[in-house]
Amino acid sequence: MAVERWDSLAGGMGRRTMLMGTGAALALAGCAVKGEDGRHGGISEAVRSPLMLTPIRATPDRITRVTVCTRPFRPQGPRLEVERIGEKRVLHHYGHGGSGWSLSWGTGLVATEKAMALGERDIAVIGCGAIGLTTALQLQRAGAKVTIYAKDLPPDTRSSLATGVWSPDSRICLEQYATPEFKALWARMCLTSFQAYQSLLGLPGTPIEWVDNYNVADAANQGHEEAADTRPPFADTLQHDLLPTLTPHPVDVPAGLHPFGGRVVRRGTNMVFNISSYARLLLDDFHANGGRIEVQEFHTPADFARLPQKVLVNCTGYGARALMGDASIVPVRGQLARMIPQDDVHYGLYYNGVSFVPRRDGFVFQVIGPDDYYGYGDDSVEPDRPLAEQAVRTIASLFPPPAVG
């Protein structure tokens, strides 16, 4: 079985890719290492001192909640365009797939430029998730008076249920739509977001932090070829192709220097978003800058007419599928098992199709599936408790059972 790449343990190289062949480099877990085929520069540096990793207390009884997030994927990529609806000019800003948190500052800046060019300084933002909040802050910094209108506020938005890792090319579009113009725009948005996150490191509550992550694979699982996939591929290597030095490259951990027995291990480093404290920081900044939030629900575009602002930025994410009748938005289901955190565990893992992210606002375990089409087209939101427990037990199998008594 081929080993899967996933963003949270990949050192920020995209959401997923499949690695095949005995010599393939291992995947490091919404959002990655290429094989030794040269696509990642032939990384061969090794860790040279023993890893001292505190075992994770991963047992199903420590699960506090199982949540489901619906990612708003558009094959063409995020929608960033102005439409006149009645007397309003509406800038649509949604459809980021699994890259919403990661790209939010960059796409927010592009949306701000487009909105401010319309000549109004009193602007409405529809939606209060990752995209809505960061867009509202960008508009404020550009001199606009901003009011957010939303049905749900954090922590009840869909983006509050995200994995919380740096994954700027996670289901951002299909490869066929990654034109040179799209890639140039993506690179600009990615760099803008990355630089914004560097300015948030070290703040109280640890909203953003860098975390080492370990991809672990059983040696017997390497070297098996995977059947050809005829489905359209995702553009999931943009960071690798366009910004290969943005985040640290993964390195090998030799046998004997890690606590996982005879398994093969690679270490990467990536950013983690502790979404609870991060969303609170964004809300506090928005209010401190004079922003207002009104709880309102919109059922059709005609409902925009009741707002006093002439320019609106539509940041409704997956909600735009129903609100705008936009059938180009495809739901991609993702489920998280959340668990009581440990103060002494600050590393992530990927093993046998399961990722573990050590968020300080609650550990996160997730079954990733065999490829980017896992959860594709699935709009169900009912939690699957057995699957959540499977994810926890898979990670727990890497450690000796806890002593009894």
Side-chain angles (χ1 to χ4, degrees):
M1 180 178 68
V3 180
E4 178 192 327
R5 187 188 79 177
W6 186 65
D7 56 354
S8 86
L9 301 182
M13 290 196 53
R15 185 65 182 176
R16 292 188 189 88
T17 194
M18 300 303 294
L19 303 179
M20 294 180 284
T22 304
L26 301 180
L28 298 181
C31 188
V33 186
K34 291 295 182 183
E36 293 177 0
D37 56 2
R39 294 189 66 189
H40 197 299
I43 306 301
S44 60
E45 178 187 355
V47 175
R48 302 189 184 280
S49 59
L51 300 176
M52 306 299 291
L53 303 179
T54 302
I56 303 168
R57 296 170 61 189
T59 54
D61 63 293
R62 291 176 63 83
I63 295 176
T64 59
R65 190 182 180 195
V66 180
T67 60
V68 177
C69 174
T70 306
R71 308 177 188 93
F73 171 70
R74 295 183 76 241
Q76 307 91 333
R79 187 181 183 189
L80 277 161
E81 59 187 10
V82 177
E83 178 184 10
R84 179 172 287 276
I85 300 177
E87 298 299 317
K88 310 294 184 181
R89 284 174 293 176
V90 180
L91 171 60
H92 297 295
H93 183 203
Y94 60 79
H96 296 69
S99 303
W101 282 110
S102 298
L103 284 183
S104 58
W105 290 101
T107 60
L109 179 59
V110 174
T112 293
E113 293 169 348
K114 290 178 177 289
M116 297 298 285
L118 298 176
E120 297 289 334
R121 293 299 179 266
D122 186 6
I123 297 178
V125 170
I126 314 299
C128 197
I131 301 300
L133 278 172
T134 46
T135 300
L137 284 167
Q138 296 279 43
L139 285 165
Q140 287 179 326
R141 294 174 183 179
K145 174 186 175 183
V146 184
T147 303
I148 292 177
Y149 300 90
K151 174 188 174 184
D152 298 312
L153 308 180
D156 298 321
T157 60
R158 282 188 175 88
S159 55
S160 293
L161 306 179
T163 308
V165 293
W166 173 253
S167 54
D169 52 6
S170 168
R171 295 190 186 87
I172 192 63
C173 70
L174 290 180
E175 190 173 279
Q176 68 193 79
Y177 294 106
T179 63
E181 294 77 16
F182 180 90
K183 290 180 178 179
L185 178 62
W186 177 90
R188 179 196 174 201
M189 296 189 300
C190 182
L191 284 171
T192 299
S193 285
F194 185 83
Q195 291 163 2
Y197 283 123
Q198 302 318 293
S199 71
L200 299 176
L201 294 169
L203 295 181
T206 319
I208 310 296
E209 62 183 323
W210 285 92
V211 172
D212 284 343
N213 308 276
Y214 299 91
N215 184 78
V216 184
D218 298 320
N221 286 342
Q222 299 185 74
H224 297 281
E225 294 295 328
E226 180 172 309
D229 191 342
T230 59
R231 295 172 295 186
F234 290 81
D236 63 353
T237 63
L238 293 177
Q239 184 173 326
H240 167 262
D241 296 339
L242 304 176
L243 302 170
T245 62
L246 192 63
T247 54
H249 288 179
V251 296
D252 300 312
V253 181
L257 295 183
H258 62 72
F260 303 116
R263 298 180 177 95
V264 181
V265 176
R266 285 204 119 197
R267 183 182 70 192
T269 305
N270 199 23
M271 279 188 293
V272 169
F273 312 142
N274 295 299
I275 292 177
S276 295
S277 57
Y278 179 40
R280 185 175 296 272
L281 170 67
L282 297 179
L283 284 168
D284 289 347
D285 284 355
F286 176 70
H287 287 301
N289 292 333
R292 293 189 309 112
I293 296 178
E294 294 189 17
V295 176
Q296 291 197 32
E297 184 173 1
F298 301 89
H299 299 282
T300 70
D303 293 338
F304 294 156
R306 66 174 180 254
L307 301 182
Q309 292 83 4
K310 296 179 180 179
V311 172
L312 288 62
V313 185
N314 174 23
C315 303
T316 51
Y318 182 69
R321 179 179 172 88
L323 175 62
M324 305 306 303
D326 188 348
S328 71
I329 299 178
V330 180
V332 182
R333 174 188 166 99
Q335 175 176 285
L336 303 179
R338 298 165 182 266
M339 181 176 289
I340 301 169
Q342 292 172 240
D343 290 340
D344 53 354
V345 173
H346 296 298
Y347 63 90
L349 290 169
Y350 175 87
Y351 177 60
N352 275 358
V354 175
S355 71
F356 161 69
V357 182
R359 280 172 40 183
R360 301 196 184 207
D361 54 1
F363 285 173
V364 167
F365 299 77
Q366 183 177 22
V367 174
I368 301 303
D371 52 53
D372 266 332
Y373 278 97
Y374 184 74
Y376 188 88
D378 186 350
D379 63 355
S380 64
V381 295
E382 186 68 24
D384 183 340
R385 176 76 187 198
L387 186 68
E389 295 188 3
Q390 172 191 326
V392 170
R393 290 193 175 98
T394 298
I395 295 300
S397 69
L398 290 171
F399 303 95
V404 177

